Coordinates of all heavy atoms in Angstrom, one line a residue:
I11 N -42.8 12.4 -45.1 CA -42.6 11.2 -44.3 C -41.5 10.4 -44.8 O -41.4 10.2 -46.0 CB -43.9 10.4 -44.2 CG1 -45.1 11.2 -43.7 CG2 -43.7 9.1 -43.3 CD1 -46.4 10.4 -43.6
Y12 N -40.6 10.0 -43.9 CA -39.4 9.2 -44.3 C -39.2 8.1 -43.3 O -39.7 8.2 -42.2 CB -38.1 10.1 -44.4 CG -37.6 10.5 -43.1 CD1 -36.6 9.7 -42.4 CD2 -37.9 11.7 -42.5 CE1 -36.1 10.0 -41.2 CE2 -37.4 12.0 -41.3 CZ -36.5 11.2 -40.6 OH -36.0 11.5 -39.4
S13 N -38.4 7.1 -43.7 CA -38.0 6.1 -42.8 C -36.5 6.0 -42.9 O -35.9 6.4 -43.8 CB -38.6 4.7 -43.2 OG -38.2 4.3 -44.5
S14 N -35.9 5.4 -41.8 CA -34.5 5.1 -41.8 C -34.1 4.0 -40.8 O -35.0 3.6 -40.0 CB -33.7 6.4 -41.4 OG -34.0 6.8 -40.1
H15 N -32.9 3.5 -40.9 CA -32.4 2.5 -40.1 C -31.6 3.1 -39.0 O -30.7 3.9 -39.3 CB -31.6 1.5 -40.9 CG -31.0 0.4 -40.1 ND1 -29.7 0.5 -39.7 CD2 -31.5 -0.7 -39.5 CE1 -29.4 -0.6 -38.9 NE2 -30.5 -1.3 -38.8
S16 N -31.9 2.8 -37.7 CA -31.1 3.4 -36.6 C -29.7 2.8 -36.5 O -29.6 1.6 -36.6 CB -31.9 3.2 -35.3 OG -31.1 3.6 -34.2
R17 N -28.7 3.6 -36.3 CA -27.4 3.2 -36.1 C -26.9 3.4 -34.6 O -25.8 3.3 -34.3 CB -26.4 4.0 -37.0 CG -26.8 3.7 -38.5 CD -25.7 4.3 -39.4 NE -24.5 3.7 -39.3 CZ -23.3 4.3 -39.2 NH1 -23.2 5.6 -39.3 NH2 -22.2 3.6 -39.1
I18 N -27.9 3.8 -33.8 CA -27.6 4.2 -32.4 C -27.4 2.8 -31.6 O -28.3 2.0 -31.6 CB -28.7 5.0 -31.7 CG1 -28.9 6.3 -32.5 CG2 -28.4 5.2 -30.3 CD1 -30.1 7.1 -32.1
P19 N -26.3 2.6 -31.0 CA -26.0 1.4 -30.3 C -27.1 1.3 -29.1 O -27.4 2.3 -28.5 CB -24.6 1.6 -29.7 CG -24.0 2.6 -30.6 CD -25.1 3.5 -31.1
T20 N -27.5 0.1 -28.8 CA -28.5 -0.1 -27.8 C -28.1 0.6 -26.4 O -28.9 1.2 -25.8 CB -28.7 -1.6 -27.5 OG1 -29.1 -2.2 -28.8 CG2 -29.8 -1.9 -26.5
A21 N -26.8 0.5 -26.1 CA -26.4 1.0 -24.8 C -26.5 2.6 -24.8 O -26.6 3.2 -23.7 CB -24.9 0.6 -24.5
D22 N -26.5 3.2 -25.9 CA -26.6 4.7 -26.0 C -28.0 5.2 -26.4 O -28.2 6.4 -26.4 CB -25.6 5.2 -27.1 CG -24.2 4.8 -26.8 OD1 -23.8 4.6 -25.7 OD2 -23.4 4.7 -27.8
R23 N -28.9 4.3 -26.6 CA -30.2 4.7 -27.1 C -30.9 5.7 -26.2 O -31.4 6.8 -26.7 CB -31.1 3.5 -27.3 CG -30.7 2.7 -28.6 CD -31.6 1.5 -28.8 NE -33.0 1.8 -28.9 CZ -33.6 2.2 -30.0 NH1 -32.9 2.3 -31.2 NH2 -34.9 2.5 -30.1
E24 N -31.1 5.5 -25.0 CA -31.8 6.3 -24.1 C -31.3 7.7 -24.1 O -32.0 8.7 -24.3 CB -31.9 5.8 -22.7 CG -32.8 6.6 -21.8 CD -32.9 5.9 -20.4 OE1 -32.7 4.7 -20.2 OE2 -33.3 6.7 -19.5
T25 N -30.0 7.9 -24.0 CA -29.4 9.2 -23.9 C -29.5 9.9 -25.3 O -29.8 11.1 -25.4 CB -27.9 9.1 -23.5 OG1 -27.9 8.5 -22.2 CG2 -27.2 10.5 -23.5
A26 N -29.2 9.2 -26.4 CA -29.2 9.7 -27.7 C -30.6 10.2 -28.1 O -30.8 11.2 -28.7 CB -28.7 8.7 -28.7
L27 N -31.6 9.3 -27.8 CA -33.0 9.7 -28.2 C -33.5 10.8 -27.4 O -34.2 11.7 -27.9 CB -33.9 8.5 -28.0 CG -33.7 7.3 -29.0 CD1 -34.5 6.1 -28.7 CD2 -33.8 7.8 -30.4
A28 N -33.1 10.9 -26.1 CA -33.5 12.1 -25.3 C -33.0 13.4 -25.9 O -33.7 14.4 -25.9 CB -33.1 11.9 -23.8
R29 N -31.7 13.3 -26.3 CA -31.1 14.5 -26.9 C -31.8 14.9 -28.2 O -32.1 16.0 -28.5 CB -29.6 14.2 -27.2 CG -28.9 15.3 -27.9 CD -28.2 16.2 -26.9 NE -27.4 17.2 -27.7 CZ -27.6 18.5 -27.7 NH1 -28.6 19.0 -26.9 NH2 -26.9 19.3 -28.4
I30 N -32.1 13.8 -29.0 CA -32.8 14.1 -30.3 C -34.1 14.8 -30.0 O -34.5 15.8 -30.7 CB -33.1 12.8 -31.1 CG1 -31.8 12.3 -31.7 CG2 -34.1 13.0 -32.2 CD1 -31.9 10.9 -32.2
F31 N -34.9 14.3 -29.1 CA -36.2 14.9 -28.8 C -36.1 16.3 -28.2 O -36.8 17.2 -28.6 CB -37.0 14.0 -27.9 CG -37.7 13.0 -28.7 CD1 -37.2 11.7 -28.8 CD2 -38.9 13.3 -29.4 CE1 -37.8 10.7 -29.5 CE2 -39.5 12.3 -30.1 CZ -39.0 11.0 -30.2
D32 N -35.1 16.5 -27.3 CA -35.0 17.8 -26.7 C -34.6 18.9 -27.7 O -35.3 20.0 -27.8 CB -33.9 17.8 -25.6 CG -34.3 17.2 -24.3 OD1 -35.5 16.9 -24.1 OD2 -33.5 16.9 -23.5
V33 N -33.6 18.6 -28.6 CA -33.2 19.5 -29.5 C -34.2 19.7 -30.6 O -34.6 20.9 -31.0 CB -31.8 19.1 -30.2 CG1 -31.4 19.9 -31.4 CG2 -30.7 19.1 -29.1
S34 N -34.8 18.6 -31.1 CA -35.8 18.7 -32.2 C -37.0 19.4 -31.8 O -37.6 20.2 -32.6 CB -36.1 17.3 -32.7 OG -34.9 16.7 -33.3
R35 N -37.5 19.1 -30.6 CA -38.7 19.8 -30.2 C -38.6 21.4 -30.1 O -39.4 22.1 -30.6 CB -39.2 19.3 -28.8 CG -39.9 17.9 -29.0 CD -40.4 17.4 -27.7 NE -41.0 16.1 -27.9 CZ -40.9 15.1 -27.1 NH1 -40.2 15.2 -26.0 NH2 -41.5 13.9 -27.4
A36 N -37.4 21.8 -29.6 CA -37.2 23.2 -29.5 C -37.0 23.8 -30.8 O -37.6 24.9 -31.1 CB -35.9 23.4 -28.6
N37 N -36.2 23.2 -31.7 CA -36.0 23.7 -33.1 C -37.3 23.7 -33.9 O -37.5 24.7 -34.6 CB -34.9 23.0 -33.8 CG -33.5 23.2 -33.2 OD1 -33.3 24.2 -32.4 ND2 -32.6 22.3 -33.4
N38 N -38.0 22.6 -33.8 CA -39.2 22.5 -34.6 C -40.3 23.6 -34.1 O -40.9 24.2 -35.0 CB -39.8 21.2 -34.5 CG -39.1 20.1 -35.2 OD1 -38.1 20.4 -35.9 ND2 -39.4 18.9 -35.1
K39 N -40.4 23.8 -32.9 CA -41.3 24.8 -32.4 C -41.0 26.2 -32.9 O -41.9 26.9 -33.4 CB -41.4 24.8 -30.9 CG -42.4 25.6 -30.3 CD -42.6 25.4 -28.8 CE -43.8 26.2 -28.3 NZ -44.3 25.8 -27.1
K40 N -39.7 26.5 -32.9 CA -39.3 27.8 -33.4 C -39.5 28.0 -34.9 O -39.9 29.0 -35.4 CB -37.7 28.0 -33.2 CG -37.4 28.3 -31.7 CD -35.9 28.4 -31.6 CE -35.5 28.3 -30.1 NZ -34.0 28.2 -30.0
A41 N -39.4 26.8 -35.6 CA -39.6 26.9 -37.1 C -41.0 26.6 -37.5 O -41.3 26.7 -38.7 CB -38.6 25.8 -37.7
G42 N -41.9 26.4 -36.6 CA -43.3 26.1 -37.0 C -43.5 24.7 -37.6 O -44.4 24.5 -38.4
V43 N -42.6 23.8 -37.2 CA -42.7 22.4 -37.8 C -43.4 21.6 -36.7 O -43.1 21.6 -35.5 CB -41.3 21.9 -38.1 CG1 -41.4 20.4 -38.4 CG2 -40.7 22.7 -39.2
T44 N -44.3 20.7 -37.2 CA -45.0 19.8 -36.3 C -44.7 18.4 -36.8 O -44.3 18.2 -38.0 CB -46.5 20.0 -36.1 OG1 -47.1 20.0 -37.4 CG2 -46.7 21.4 -35.5
G45 N -45.0 17.4 -36.1 CA -44.8 16.0 -36.6 C -44.7 15.0 -35.5 O -45.0 15.2 -34.3
A46 N -44.3 13.8 -35.9 CA -44.2 12.7 -35.0 C -43.0 11.8 -35.5 O -42.8 11.7 -36.7 CB -45.5 11.9 -35.0
L47 N -42.4 11.2 -34.5 CA -41.3 10.3 -34.8 C -41.6 8.9 -34.2 O -41.8 8.8 -32.9 CB -40.0 10.8 -34.2 CG -38.8 9.9 -34.4 CD1 -38.4 9.6 -35.8 CD2 -37.6 10.5 -33.6
L48 N -41.7 7.9 -35.0 CA -42.0 6.5 -34.6 C -40.6 5.9 -34.4 O -39.8 6.0 -35.3 CB -42.8 5.8 -35.6 CG -43.1 4.3 -35.3 CD1 -44.5 4.0 -35.5 CD2 -42.2 3.4 -36.1
I49 N -40.4 5.2 -33.3 CA -39.1 4.6 -33.0 C -39.3 3.1 -32.7 O -40.2 2.8 -31.8 CB -38.4 5.3 -31.8 CG1 -38.2 6.8 -32.0 CG2 -37.1 4.6 -31.4 CD1 -37.8 7.5 -30.8
T50 N -38.5 2.3 -33.3 CA -38.5 0.9 -32.9 C -37.1 0.5 -32.5 O -36.2 1.4 -32.5 CB -39.0 -0.1 -34.1 OG1 -38.0 0.0 -35.1 CG2 -40.3 0.4 -34.6
D51 N -36.8 -0.7 -32.3 CA -35.4 -1.1 -32.0 C -34.4 -0.8 -33.1 O -33.3 -0.5 -32.8 CB -35.3 -2.6 -31.6 CG -36.0 -2.9 -30.3 OD1 -36.2 -2.0 -29.5 OD2 -36.4 -4.1 -30.1
H52 N -34.9 -0.8 -34.3 CA -34.0 -0.7 -35.5 C -34.4 0.4 -36.5 O -33.6 0.7 -37.4 CB -33.9 -2.0 -36.2 CG -33.5 -3.1 -35.3 ND1 -32.2 -3.3 -34.8 CD2 -34.2 -4.2 -34.8 CE1 -32.1 -4.3 -34.0 NE2 -33.3 -4.9 -34.0
Y53 N -35.6 1.0 -36.3 CA -36.0 1.9 -37.4 C -36.6 3.2 -36.8 O -37.1 3.2 -35.7 CB -37.0 1.2 -38.3 CG -36.5 0.1 -39.1 CD1 -36.6 -1.2 -38.6 CD2 -35.8 0.3 -40.3 CE1 -35.9 -2.3 -39.3 CE2 -35.2 -0.7 -41.0 CZ -35.3 -2.0 -40.5 OH -34.7 -3.0 -41.2
F54 N -36.6 4.2 -37.6 CA -37.3 5.5 -37.4 C -38.2 5.7 -38.6 O -37.9 5.3 -39.7 CB -36.3 6.6 -37.4 CG -35.3 6.6 -36.3 CD1 -33.9 6.6 -36.7 CD2 -35.6 6.7 -35.0 CE1 -32.9 6.6 -35.7 CE2 -34.6 6.7 -34.0 CZ -33.3 6.7 -34.4
V55 N -39.4 6.2 -38.3 CA -40.3 6.7 -39.4 C -40.8 8.0 -38.8 O -41.3 8.1 -37.7 CB -41.5 5.7 -39.6 CG1 -42.4 6.4 -40.7 CG2 -41.1 4.4 -40.0
Q56 N -40.6 9.1 -39.6 CA -40.9 10.4 -39.1 C -41.8 11.1 -40.1 O -41.6 11.1 -41.3 CB -39.6 11.2 -38.9 CG -39.9 12.6 -38.2 CD -38.7 13.3 -37.8 OE1 -37.6 13.0 -38.2 NE2 -38.9 14.2 -36.9
A57 N -42.8 11.9 -39.5 CA -43.6 12.8 -40.3 C -43.3 14.2 -39.9 O -43.2 14.5 -38.7 CB -45.1 12.5 -40.1
L58 N -43.0 15.1 -40.9 CA -42.7 16.4 -40.6 C -43.8 17.3 -41.4 O -44.0 17.0 -42.5 CB -41.3 16.8 -41.1 CG -40.2 16.1 -40.4 CD1 -38.9 16.2 -41.2 CD2 -40.0 16.5 -39.0
E59 N -44.3 18.3 -40.7 CA -45.3 19.2 -41.3 C -44.9 20.7 -41.1 O -44.5 21.0 -40.1 CB -46.7 18.9 -40.7 CG -47.1 17.5 -40.8 CD -48.4 17.3 -39.9 OE1 -48.5 17.9 -38.8 OE2 -49.2 16.5 -40.4
G60 N -45.2 21.4 -42.2 CA -45.0 22.9 -42.0 C -44.7 23.5 -43.4 O -45.2 23.0 -44.4
D61 N -44.0 24.6 -43.4 CA -43.6 25.3 -44.6 C -42.7 24.4 -45.5 O -41.8 23.8 -45.0 CB -42.9 26.6 -44.3 CG -42.4 27.3 -45.5 OD1 -43.2 28.0 -46.2 OD2 -41.2 27.1 -45.9
E62 N -43.0 24.3 -46.8 CA -42.3 23.3 -47.7 C -40.8 23.6 -47.6 O -40.0 22.6 -47.5 CB -42.8 23.4 -49.1 CG -42.1 22.4 -50.0 CD -42.7 22.4 -51.4 OE1 -43.7 23.1 -51.7 OE2 -42.2 21.6 -52.2
A63 N -40.3 24.8 -47.7 CA -38.9 25.1 -47.7 C -38.2 24.7 -46.4 O -37.1 24.1 -46.4 CB -38.6 26.6 -48.0
I64 N -38.9 25.0 -45.3 CA -38.4 24.6 -44.0 C -38.3 23.1 -43.8 O -37.3 22.5 -43.4 CB -39.2 25.3 -42.9 CG1 -39.0 26.8 -42.9 CG2 -38.8 24.7 -41.5 CD1 -39.9 27.6 -42.0
V65 N -39.4 22.4 -44.2 CA -39.5 21.0 -44.0 C -38.4 20.3 -44.9 O -37.7 19.3 -44.5 CB -40.9 20.4 -44.3 CG1 -40.9 18.9 -44.3 CG2 -41.8 20.9 -43.1
T66 N -38.3 20.6 -46.2 CA -37.4 20.0 -47.1 C -35.9 20.3 -46.6 O -35.1 19.4 -46.7 CB -37.6 20.4 -48.5 OG1 -37.6 21.8 -48.7 CG2 -38.9 19.8 -49.1
G67 N -35.7 21.5 -46.1 CA -34.4 21.9 -45.6 C -34.0 21.0 -44.4 O -32.9 20.5 -44.3
L68 N -35.0 20.8 -43.5 CA -34.8 19.9 -42.4 C -34.5 18.5 -42.8 O -33.6 17.8 -42.3 CB -36.0 20.0 -41.5 CG -36.1 19.2 -40.2 CD1 -34.9 19.5 -39.3 CD2 -37.4 19.4 -39.5
Y69 N -35.3 18.0 -43.8 CA -35.1 16.6 -44.3 C -33.7 16.5 -44.8 O -33.0 15.5 -44.6 CB -36.1 16.3 -45.3 CG -35.9 15.0 -46.0 CD1 -36.0 13.8 -45.2 CD2 -35.7 14.9 -47.3 CE1 -35.9 12.5 -45.8 CE2 -35.5 13.6 -47.9 CZ -35.6 12.5 -47.2 OH -35.4 11.2 -47.8
E70 N -33.2 17.5 -45.6 CA -31.8 17.4 -46.1 C -30.8 17.3 -45.0 O -29.8 16.5 -45.1 CB -31.5 18.6 -47.0 CG -32.3 18.6 -48.3 CD -32.1 17.4 -49.1 OE1 -30.9 16.9 -49.3 OE2 -33.1 16.8 -49.7
R71 N -31.0 18.0 -43.9 CA -30.0 17.9 -42.8 C -30.2 16.5 -42.1 O -29.2 15.9 -41.7 CB -30.3 19.0 -41.8 CG -29.8 20.4 -42.2 CD -29.8 21.4 -41.2 NE -31.1 21.7 -40.5 CZ -32.1 22.4 -41.0 NH1 -32.0 23.0 -42.1 NH2 -33.2 22.6 -40.3
I72 N -31.4 16.1 -42.0 CA -31.7 14.8 -41.3 C -31.0 13.7 -42.1 O -30.4 12.7 -41.5 CB -33.2 14.5 -41.2 CG1 -33.8 15.4 -40.1 CG2 -33.5 13.0 -40.9 CD1 -35.3 15.4 -40.1
K73 N -31.1 13.7 -43.4 CA -30.4 12.7 -44.3 C -29.0 12.5 -44.0 O -28.4 11.4 -44.1 CB -30.6 13.0 -45.8 CG -32.0 12.8 -46.2 CD -32.2 12.7 -47.8 CE -31.4 13.8 -48.5 NZ -31.7 13.9 -49.9
D74 N -28.3 13.6 -43.6 CA -26.8 13.6 -43.3 C -26.5 13.2 -41.9 O -25.3 13.1 -41.6 CB -26.2 14.9 -43.6 CG -26.3 15.2 -45.1 OD1 -26.3 14.3 -45.9 OD2 -26.3 16.4 -45.4
D75 N -27.5 12.9 -41.0 CA -27.2 12.6 -39.6 C -26.7 11.2 -39.5 O -27.3 10.2 -40.0 CB -28.6 12.7 -38.9 CG -28.4 12.6 -37.4 OD1 -27.6 11.8 -36.9 OD2 -29.0 13.4 -36.7
S76 N -25.5 11.1 -38.9 CA -24.9 9.7 -38.8 C -25.5 8.8 -37.8 O -25.1 7.6 -37.8 CB -23.4 10.0 -38.3 OG -23.3 10.5 -37.1
R77 N -26.6 9.2 -37.1 CA -27.2 8.3 -36.2 C -28.2 7.3 -36.9 O -28.8 6.5 -36.3 CB -28.0 9.1 -35.1 CG -27.0 9.9 -34.2 CD -27.8 10.8 -33.3 NE -28.3 11.9 -34.0 CZ -28.8 13.0 -33.5 NH1 -28.8 13.1 -32.2 NH2 -29.3 14.0 -34.2
H78 N -28.3 7.5 -38.2 CA -29.1 6.6 -39.0 C -28.6 6.5 -40.4 O -27.8 7.3 -40.9 CB -30.6 6.9 -38.9 CG -30.9 8.3 -39.6 ND1 -32.2 8.7 -39.8 CD2 -30.1 9.3 -40.0 CE1 -32.2 9.9 -40.4 NE2 -31.0 10.2 -40.5

Side-chain angles (χ1 to χ4, degrees):
I11 302 176
Y12 74 88
S13 66
S14 65
H15 177 261
S16 174
R17 298 183 70 221
I18 301 171
T20 303
D22 300 335
R23 284 178 61 83
E24 186 174 338
T25 302
L27 293 174
R29 175 93 175 121
I30 288 170
F31 277 98
D32 285 347
V33 170
S34 297
R35 285 181 177 139
N37 290 343
N38 288 355
K39 188 168 185 163
K40 287 177 195 171
V43 172
T44 58
L47 176 62
L48 178 136
I49 301 170
T50 70
D51 290 339
H52 304 288
Y53 294 96
F54 298 117
V55 182
Q56 185 170 21
L58 299 166
E59 303 171 325
D61 176 81
E62 182 173 359
I64 293 171
V65 169
T66 55
L68 179 57
Y69 176 65
E70 290 303 316
R71 288 191 303 280
I72 287 169
K73 287 192 315 187
D74 293 333
D75 191 317
S76 64
R77 294 173 289 195
H78 63 171

